[in-house]
Amino acid sequence: MKKKFVYFFGDGKAEGNKDMKDLLGGKGAGLAEMTNTGVPVPPGFTITTEACRYYQTHKAYPPGLEEEIEANLSMVEKSMGKGFGDPENPLLLSVRSGAKFSMPGMMDTVLNLGLNDQTLVGLTHKTSNRRMAYDSYRRFIQMFGSIVLGMEHKDFEVVLKEIKRVKGVRLDTELDADDLAHLVERYKEEVKEVKGIEIPQDPREQLKMTIIAVFDSWDNPRAITYRKLNNIPDDLGTAVTIQAMVFGNMGQNSGTGVAFTRDPALGKKKFYGEYLLNAQGEDVVAGIRTPNPISRLKEELPEAYGQLMDIYQKLEAHYRDMQDIEFTIEDGRLFMLQTRTGKRTTKAAIKIAVDMTNEGLISKEEALLRIEANQLDQLLHRQIDPSAKKEVIACGLAASPGAASGKVVFTPDDACEWNHEGHRVILVRTETSPDDIHGMAVAQGILTSRGGMTSHAAVVARGMGKCCVAGCEAISVNEEAKEFRVKDLVVKEGDVITIDGGTGEVILEEVPTIEPELTPEMLTFLSWADEIRSLGVRANADTPEDAKRARDFGAEGIGLCRTEHMFFGEERLPIMQAMILAKDEETRRSTLDKLLPMQKQDFKDILKAMEGLPVTIRLLDPPLHEFLPKTEEEVERLSRKIGVPKKEIARKTEDLKEFNPMLGNRGCRLGIIMPEIYQMQVRAIFEAACELVKEGYHVKPEVMIPLVGHVNELKVLKEDTQRIAQEIVNSIGVNLDYFIGTMIELPRACITADEIATEAEFFSFGTNDLTQTVFGFSRDDAEGKFLFQYVDKKILEDNPFAVLDREGVGELVRMAVEKGRKVRPHLKIGICGEHGGDPSSIEFCHQVGLDYVSCSPYRVPIARLAAAHAKLKKSAREDLSDTR
C-alpha cells in the first residue's frame, strides 16, 4: 500500500485527530481535532513528520509527495472558492511548522504565501482594501526573505524604521497604503541587494521553497538548542501545516490573538489572553506591538468575543486540559488557527491539576502524571524579601515568576560569554526572538521593553523556569550602545539590576531574596504523590538548618549527613589540622578530644531537628590532605596559629599527597589506619543520641561506614562502633535503637554484597563514587575535559553523574540488592548520591526495590513526585502486560 504523506482538514471533517501528534505534529493534530468537533477552522492540510525525516535523509521529497500536495491544494481551493496563483481571486496560504512537542518560536512560519505582483492586484480588488493587500505583501516578503532566503530580521527592520521615521509615526498601523506600497518596493530592493536574487513570482515555487525551509528549520541552531534544553529527541522531525489564509489586518473589525483557557502564570480559572486589531498573528507573539488584554475584545467586537468564549470552554472540556489557542477575526468572522496543550509555569500547572481534579475533569493519578518531577524546581525559586529596601525604576508585565539579580547584558552571545566568566546576568532586549535561545538559557532572568504575556520571551521563560518581566515600556533599550534608559537614568552593560517576575518590577542593584514557601495547592498535590508512592524520600543534610528545611519539604529522614563538612568551620579547622600534623597517636587523641564536644553538639542539633526520623551519619570520608593548607599564605597563617613550623606543615602535606586520592587513604581505610578518628566520631554520635533520649527525645541514629570494599573492613569497624556505643548506652542508662551499615560505592562491594550483608544492617549506594569506579572516570576531570562532548556526540545519552547509568552502574546496583537480601531479607537499602534527586534514577531505584532515595533538601518535593510517577508507570506497564 502506498504511504500517505498528506492529511486534509476542512469543511467540518478531517483525516487526522488529536492522537496523531507523532505523525501530524501538535499543530496539525490540533487543527484536525478542532475541525472534527465543529470549530470554525480554515481548510488546509498537513505534511507528515515522516516526509520531513525522508527529506532530512535524502534532501528530496519522498516519492508521491508532490502529487499529494497538489491534490490537497485543489481541495483547499474548492473549499475556499479561490485559486492558488489566480490573479483575480487568489488563494493565499500560511505555512507553519509543528513538531510532536510544542517548541514555541523555535521553528518557522510564512504567512500570505501566494502573493506576487499579479495576485496583489486581485487581492486588492476582492477585498476593496488596498492597505491590507500591501500590508500582507510586505509581511510575506519579510517572512520569505528571513525564513526561506536566510536574511536577517534586522535587514527589513532597518527599512521599516526609516520609513516610519520619515513619515513621523511610531506604529506600523499608522502607515497608509501608499507608505506600504513604497515599503514593498524597498523590501524587494533589500532582498536583491542582500541575496542577489528576487522573490519568486511563481506561487508554486514559493510553496516548495517554503516547505523545504520548514523541513530544514528542524535542524536550525535555535531548535537544536531548545530540544537539548528540553530533552526532546532529535529524530522526530517536524510536520508542515499548509492552511488557507484568513486576514486579521483588514481594519478595525478584524484582528488576531493568542489566549489560554486558564492563567498560564498562576493557574487561575479565567480566560486569559491578548489580541491586536488590524494585525496578523505574528504581531502578537513577536512583541512588535504591545497587545490588549482579551477582556477588552468584549467591548470592541462583542459577537466574536462571545463565540470565542463558547469555543474555549468547549475545547478545554474536550481536551480536559488547559489549552493555548490562536484565532483570527476576519471582517467580524472568527476562525480558530490552533489549539494545543498550553505551556504554563509549574505553579500554574499544579493549581490547574488540583482544580481540574476537584472539578471532576481528571483523576488524581492523571493530575500527578501531568507534571514532570523536575518542573517542581520552578516553585523553589527565591522571592524578593518583602522587608528589603528597593529602588523600583520601572514596571512591566509579570510574565514568569521568581526573582533574580545579575549584570545587565544586551545580546545572547554576551550573556553566554559573561556567564562563562562566572557572572550572573540579566538579558535585556527590546524583544526576544527564537535566535536568542542560547542567551536566555544561561541568563538568570529576561527583561524586554516590548511584548506581552504571550510573547516569545514570556512563553520561553515560563518553559525554562526563568523569571521574566516583559513589555516594560518605561525602558528604552539601545542594544548598539549597550544601555537602557528610564527617563534620565541610564543603566549600562555590567550594571546590576534585579527583576521580579511575580510583580513585574525592575529594581536597581541587587536586592535580598528569601526562601520559597509551598502553596496550599502544592501541599495537596504532594500529599497525593505520598498516597501513591512506595519509595521513601530522605534528604542529604549536614546542618540543623538544612535538616529543618528538608523536613518542611516532606523528607522522611536524613539519608546522608556528611561529617567532614563540620570540620571546616573557622574555629574547628585549625584543630583538625593540628590533629593531622600530630606526630603520635597520643597527641592526635588529645587534639581530637577538643573536637569531640563540637561534633557532639552538631549531632545533637541535627538529631533533635529530625526527632522521630532516621538520621544516617557517614563517618569521615575524604583523605586528610584536603584539610591542609594549599598556598604559601595559608601555610604561613596556620603556622602562626598552631605553632608548628612551616617546614613541618609542608613536609606533612607532601607525605599525604597521593597520585589518585579518590582511590587512596580515605573512608574506612582511614578509620582502620587511624582508628582514633572514627572512635571520636562514634563517641560524639552516641553521647548526643543518648543524652537526647534521656531528655525525652525519640532519635534514630544510623552509623554509615564509607568506602567498604571487603567485608573484613566493615567487620573491624563495626565491632569498634558497637563496643563504644554499648559503653555509652550503659553509662547513660537509656535504651537506644541504632543501626550500623555501609555505603556501597565500589564495584567489589556490589559483587560481594552477600558477604557484606552478613555484617551490614543497611546499604546506602554512593553512586557518585560507584559511577567513577565503574566507568574509570575522575568526575572533575571527565566533566572538565570530555564528558559533555561525549553527550553531544551521542556516545553517552546522559552525563552518568547526573542520570544513573542503568546498563552499567545500574546492573551492579541490582546485583547488590539481590545478593544483600538473599542473606538479610529485610535489609534496608537506599541511595544517597546525587542520583537520589534525579527522576530517571529514582524510577530505576523503584524498579530494583530500594527502600528510599536521599537528595538535597530542595529536591525532596521533586523526589516525592518522581517516586509516585515510578509507581504509576510500573503499574501501567503491569496492566498492559496483563492485557496481552
Side-chain angles (χ1 to χ4, degrees), residues 238-396:
T238 180
V240 183
T241 294
I242 296 161
Q243 192 173 15
M245 280 293 302
V246 287
F247 300 95
N249 57 337
M250 292 185 69
Q252 292 305 112
N253 64 343
S254 300
T256 187
V258 177
F260 297 85
T261 58
R262 303 197 185 205
D263 182 339
L266 301 175
K268 293 177 182 176
K269 189 179 180 181
K270 68 171 186 177
F271 192 40
Y272 181 95
E274 297 166 328
Y275 74 98
L276 287 168
L277 294 183
N278 198 19
Q280 288 197 332
E282 295 303 300
D283 295 348
V284 178
V285 295
I288 292 166
R289 288 160 57 192
T290 299
N292 301 315
I294 199 74
S295 55
R296 194 182 298 174
L297 186 63
K298 185 177 182 179
E299 301 164 15
E300 296 190 305
L301 296 173
E303 190 175 333
Y305 177 79
Q307 191 181 2
L308 185 61
M309 292 290 286
D310 292 340
I311 288 172
Y312 102 72
Q313 291 168 10
K314 179 179 182 178
L315 289 173
E316 183 175 273
H318 181 75
Y319 281 93
R320 301 185 309 121
D321 202 354
M322 186 262 272
Q323 295 296 291
D324 168 2
I325 60 178
E326 292 181 16
F327 63 91
T328 286
I329 302 165
E330 180 183 281
D331 201 17
R333 185 181 173 193
L334 177 69
F335 293 92
M336 304 304 297
L337 304 182
Q338 173 177 281
T339 189
R340 62 184 176 190
T341 301
K343 293 278 184 185
R344 63 203 84 177
T345 65
T346 303
K347 183 175 183 178
I350 288 174
K351 178 164 176 56
I352 289 167
V354 171
D355 286 351
M356 285 190 167
T357 303
N358 292 335
E359 292 163 22
L361 281 173
I362 59 174
S363 66
K364 287 182 182 179
E365 290 79 7
E366 286 177 289
L368 291 170
L369 288 169
R370 283 193 174 177
I371 288 131
E372 294 293 329
N374 272 329
Q375 285 182 257
L376 298 188
D377 192 40
Q378 274 193 30
L379 286 186
L380 306 175
H381 290 305
R382 299 179 70 84
Q383 306 294 324
I384 296 285
D385 184 346
S387 64
K389 292 183 178 178
K390 57 185 181 182
E391 184 181 348
V392 179
I393 58 173
C395 200

